[in-house]
Amino acid sequence: MPIDLEPLDPAPAGFGACAACVYRTTGTPALCFPCAVLGGAAPDGPTCTVCGQAVDERGSCSNTVCGLDDRYFSRLYTVSGRAEEMWSAVYRFKYGEERDLGEVLGRILVGFLEDNREELAGYDLITTGAIYVGPRAHRLWDYLQVIVEAARCDGPAWPFAPGLIAKSGPTGRFLGISPEERRRIAEGELRAALSVPEPARVAGRRILVFDDVYSEGFSLREMARVLLGAGAAEVAGLVLARRKGG
């Protein structure tokens, strides 16, 4: 499905330089996805069966959650191995003024789904990680829903269902804190704030939870926990990149 980028004239600017790319507003998933993953190196040697990153000589993953018996989610799918470039795009979209990068990220998401259709078509619903956007919110817009709505335009056949998980209030921010602090917030504030308003929509379903970045997996664990508690048959994660501290 992805387009061969070499013969394109003019050539794409290259992922990470989307602002200068002539295809930024006219591209397709078949173009933006290969641009975003081009040059992403696969891990050498054995990888974690949960998140797909390289494991150490003992076969252990550096992500604590991957080794937990009560992980709740089955596995993690990662769109791009170019973690730093993807994080830069996500950061500019979330915290900067480049809101139209949401369309680019949406196309990249659809490109990944199409490229892995044989496996991912088995999921019944693709929802978003819960983001609180009420009066006490850190930010007043749901950036994950913006990406998914853009993806829905380019991939209307995929079962996007944003907002299946609700968050009742703000919780501590994960950016720039230790894994131990992340776990404390996730198992405390975040767990207490999450709910599934319409359990009938998730009952018996296999669900992908879309988020921007996977760091240790504590947030995804709580999302999976609440969905399984509402009757979901399986929960897996889908992120744009894996990045420690993201």
Side-chain angles (χ1 to χ4, degrees):
M1 169 247 161
I3 293 171
D4 181 2
L5 303 178
E6 293 296 329
L8 289 180
D9 185 23
F15 182 65
C18 301
C21 186
V22 295
Y23 302 103
R24 178 163 176 164
T25 57
T26 61
T28 67
L31 190 156
C32 293
F33 171 64
C35 192
V37 300
L38 185 67
D44 292 329
T47 58
C48 175
T49 57
V50 177
C51 76
Q53 73 174 357
V55 295
D56 62 23
E57 63 278 0
R58 298 169 297 175
S60 299
C61 180
S62 62
N63 288 319
T64 304
V65 174
C66 291
L68 295 179
D69 292 333
D70 58 348
R71 185 180 64 244
Y72 300 112
F73 61 92
S74 57
R75 65 159 300 173
L76 178 84
Y77 298 93
T78 304
V79 170
S80 176
R82 296 174 61 183
E84 293 308 314
E85 293 94 331
M86 182 60 77
W87 171 243
S88 175
V90 168
Y91 190 93
R92 282 151 42 208
F93 171 61
K94 285 171 64 173
Y95 303 108
E97 299 299 323
E98 296 185 55
R99 294 293 179 90
D100 56 343
L101 268 174
E103 296 182 13
V104 176
L105 296 172
R107 291 197 294 265
I108 293 169
L109 172 58
V110 172
F112 177 79
L113 293 170
E114 293 291 347
D115 203 47
N116 295 274
R117 172 172 285 279
E118 184 174 348
E119 182 172 2
L120 298 181
Y123 289 91
D124 301 301
L125 297 168
I126 305 171
T127 194
T128 47
I131 295 176
Y132 174 70
V133 293
R136 296 174 291 133
H138 299 305
R139 69 177 63 85
L140 296 177
W141 64 297
D142 189 334
Y143 58 91
L144 295 177
Q145 184 162 342
V146 171
I147 296 173
V148 164
E149 292 298 343
R152 201 201 304 260
C153 292
D154 285 294
W158 287 96
F160 293 113
L164 293 180
I165 314 166
K167 188 177 179 185
S168 61
T171 55
R173 302 182 73 169
F174 277 11
L175 188 63
I177 64 174
S178 70
E180 293 76 19
E181 280 295 293
R182 288 170 181 251
R183 181 170 189 170
R184 182 188 63 77
I185 293 171
E187 294 180 350
E189 300 170 40
L190 180 59
R191 182 173 296 182
L194 295 179
S195 65
V196 177
E198 301 178 79
R201 294 184 66 190
V202 307
R205 303 296 188 91
R206 300 180 70 218
I207 301 174
L208 276 174
V209 177
F210 171 68
D211 209 340
D212 53 354
V213 174
Y214 180 91
S215 183
E216 283 87 21
F218 291 117
S219 291
L220 176 58
R221 179 183 178 225
E222 297 306 320
M223 308 288 178
R225 180 180 181 275
V226 75
L227 285 167
L228 292 175
E234 180 191 350
V235 180
L238 170 60
V239 296
L240 296 172
R242 293 187 307 266
R243 183 183 185 275
K244 286 293 185 184

